[in-house]
Amino acid sequence: MKIRNNPRRIVSAALSIFFAAALSGCASETSALTEAEGIAVTAVCGIDYTDFTDISRMALPKERAEKFPAVIKVYKYADLYAFIVKPVAYNGPVTLAAVIDAESGKSLGIEIIEHNETPHYVRDMDSSWFTGRFAGKTVSEYLKLVRLNARADNEIVAITGATVTTEGIINGVNAAFGVFEEYVSGKTAEEVPYMVRFEPGEGDGPVETESLAIRANGVVLAEIGLDEIRALPSVKRTMSIRSTAGTTSHSFRGTLLSGVLHLVDPELTEKYTRVLAVGVDDYISGIDMDEVNAENSVFIMYEDNDEPLLKKNGESGGMRVVTVNDVFGQRFTNYLLEIALENGGPYR
């Protein structure tokens, strides 16, 4: 078990055309900061936004605005440059403020202003543990999205279950970096798309590695290998699962999810009120912690009918969360990647 100390979807061509038209007015006549934008800028840098000067027209000539279409406004105060960016994520535009300190060449952070993302999936979007990850980043190096754990300074860990949203936010911040590099530093920066694009078969998604990540508040607390999970007390559970395809019979072998969490920290099942079981395809099932703590209720299974469960690529070594009182299998998570712990009201 590795203990950590620190912490797609395709968008249609029609949407691309729509949002391209919607965002084509960068550095337009209406570049004054709105109150919400100004409050966000102040929240990031601590300077009253009314002290900033609008430099949108100078910073965003036509060619640069086309190169970094997510950037819609640029403001300056002393060595600070404030950007209002509007990239397109999963459900539409995400408006956010980003501030860069020219003296250090690093970002001071971001603040989300407005978005259309589904609240359940982006519940961590406004959390300081997520937005704070954009502070202190060197603007000369574009940020990259990673799935579980950041190992380089320019890597940003995705919000659990909201990979596309995270990618959209990263695009917006990278666009601000690009404009800063060209306008302030006089360098040439690579263009940044304003819309997330994923195509089938790109191979850039997460993969199963026969280990399970345990995450809380965006931090990977531990990675537990399948061999460690197999070493825990095991049980067999025989059940029939009903679906539109018919009824299937299963004889699962696995171990209690609560036992896996106790392996990391016995207090986890008391400190958090629910878990999210996340699969390789970002499928998520929500389970209340009282179910996890209940006797013989929620398991991590690794065998079915005396055969190893398969990964999504067809190889053995897969894991599945099984809630045994769910005979319809709607809260089963196949191809298990991680367990995310959180606090909040009950799912049921």
Side-chain angles (χ1 to χ4, degrees), residues 146-227:
V146 293
R147 188 64 176 74
L148 289 178
N149 206 40
R151 292 178 170 83
D153 183 63
N154 70 324
E155 294 179 340
I156 301 292
V157 178
I159 300 170
T160 298
T163 305
V164 173
T165 299
T166 309
E167 182 80 2
I169 293 170
I170 289 174
N171 279 351
V173 176
N174 283 342
F177 285 8
V179 172
F180 179 90
E181 283 289 272
E182 293 201 349
Y183 177 69
V184 180
S185 302
K187 301 176 182 178
T188 300
E190 184 180 346
E191 68 178 326
V192 178
Y194 68 92
M195 175 176 286
V196 179
R197 293 187 177 91
F198 289 113
E199 299 295 338
E202 282 185 342
D204 59 349
V207 295
E208 295 164 274
T209 60
E210 295 190 27
S211 66
L212 179 66
I214 308 298
R215 188 205 296 266
N217 296 327
V219 180
V220 176
L221 305 177
E223 292 179 14
I224 305 175
L226 178 55
D227 55 344

Side-chain angles (χ1 to χ4, degrees), residues 210 226 308-311 313-318:
E210 295 190 27
L226 178 55
L309 288 174
L310 300 181
K311 302 178 187 176
N313 63 8
E315 298 177 357
S316 63

Side-chain angles (χ1 to χ4, degrees), residues 21-22 25 175 282 322:
D282 260 355
V322 173

Side-chain angles (χ1 to χ4, degrees), residues 102-136:
E103 184 176 1
S104 65
K106 295 185 176 182
S107 64
L108 297 184
I110 69 169
E111 188 81 6
I112 306 297
I113 300 168
E114 186 179 17
H115 66 85
N116 298 306
E117 305 299 270
T118 304
H120 173 71
Y121 291 106
V122 296
R123 62 211 166 278
D124 298 323
M125 192 173 176
D126 297 318
S127 299
S128 58
W129 67 256
F130 174 70
T131 58
R133 290 179 176 175
F134 292 85

Side-chain angles (χ1 to χ4, degrees), residues 277 287 298-300 319-323 331-333 336 339:
I287 307 169
V298 183
F299 295 84
I300 293 179
M319 287 177 273
R320 176 187 297 186
V321 163
V322 173
T323 304
R331 287 187 299 154
F332 288 20
T333 301
L336 188 64
I339 297 294

Side-chain angles (χ1 to χ4, degrees), residues 1-5 211-216 219-225 228-229 232 256-269 271-272 300 338-341:
M1 175 172 59
K2 300 176 183 177
I3 300 293
R4 300 296 183 186
N5 295 323
S211 66
L212 179 66
I214 308 298
R215 188 205 296 266
V219 180
V220 176
L221 305 177
E223 292 179 14
I224 305 175
E228 295 175 89
I229 293 174
L232 293 171
L256 284 168
L257 173 56
S258 59
V260 175
L261 296 179
H262 288 173
L263 187 62
V264 179
D265 181 349
E267 296 184 357
L268 291 180
T269 54
K271 289 169 61 176
Y272 297 93
I300 293 179
E338 70 174 87
I339 297 294
L341 307 169

